[in-house]
Amino acid sequence: MKYLSVLFLLCFTSVVSAQDSTLVALETPKLSIGLVEGGSYMHEYVTVKFIKVIQDSRCPKNVMCIRAGEAEVLIGIYKNGLLLEEKSIIVRPNTRLLTLYSNAEVIVSAVNLFPYPKEVGTVSDRSYVLDLLFE
């Protein structure tokens, strides 16, 4: 009986392997920045300029609205100092990661626009911040 249990253990340990043989891919480092209106950020591959907020019709937090609203933002994408494109993006309260630019080296996404209106009225022009993610 002793020999059978030893034989069983040898067979079991030869079948079972303790090491995981899956390959793990390394993630690209991510950089999140807040860009003020009129400002720009130069990444090693691309420059993003937050030109202006065209309109902001997001529903204030303390008001009950039928529709959440949206904000329209104008941005510029530059590479080596040359304007690649100016684009207008729509930022909605429940939308995340709007891709602004992508190539083999970098993906630039808009995450959110701050501040979110708290009460009826407008936010002063220079207090907007566009949250960007560089991957």
Side-chain angles (χ1 to χ4, degrees):
M1 185 67 178
K2 201 188 278 187
Y3 295 111
L4 277 175
S5 59
V6 171
L7 182 64
F8 175 75
L9 282 175
L10 285 175
C11 290
F12 182 74
T13 56
S14 66
V15 173
V16 177
S17 176
Q19 294 188 0
D20 188 8
S21 63
T22 59
L23 298 175
V24 178
L26 296 176
E27 279 192 37
T28 307
K30 296 179 182 179
L31 171 66
S32 179
I33 64 154
L35 190 58
V36 296
E37 188 171 7
S40 62
Y41 179 77
M42 183 169 45
H43 190 266
E44 60 185 281
Y45 301 107
V46 68
T47 300
V48 178
K49 182 175 184 183
F50 179 11
I51 300 171
K52 67 178 180 176
V53 174
I54 298 170
Q55 61 93 16
D56 187 357
S57 65
R58 296 175 293 171
C59 182
K61 286 185 180 181
N62 62 355
V63 177
M64 182 172 272
C65 299
I66 295 171
R67 187 171 172 257
E70 59 196 25
E72 186 176 3
V73 177
L74 183 64
I75 58 143
I77 307 289
Y78 298 82
K79 190 164 185 176
N80 300 327
L82 300 172
L83 178 66
L84 293 177
E85 67 178 310
E86 267 188 8
K87 64 177 12 179
S88 172
I89 60 168
I90 304 295
V91 179
R92 292 182 178 90
N94 297 327
T95 303
R96 295 285 183 234
L97 295 181
L98 299 167
T99 301
L100 305 176
Y101 176 79
S102 67
N103 65 12
E105 294 89 18
V106 67
I107 300 171
V108 183
S109 304
V111 179
N112 210 344
L113 181 67
F114 298 104
Y116 194 86
K118 292 180 183 169
E119 55 192 42
V120 179
T122 59
V123 179
S124 68
D125 287 344
R126 289 290 173 195
S127 63
Y128 281 109
V129 176
L130 182 63
D131 194 13
L132 298 175
L133 180 66
F134 290 82
E135 297 181 78

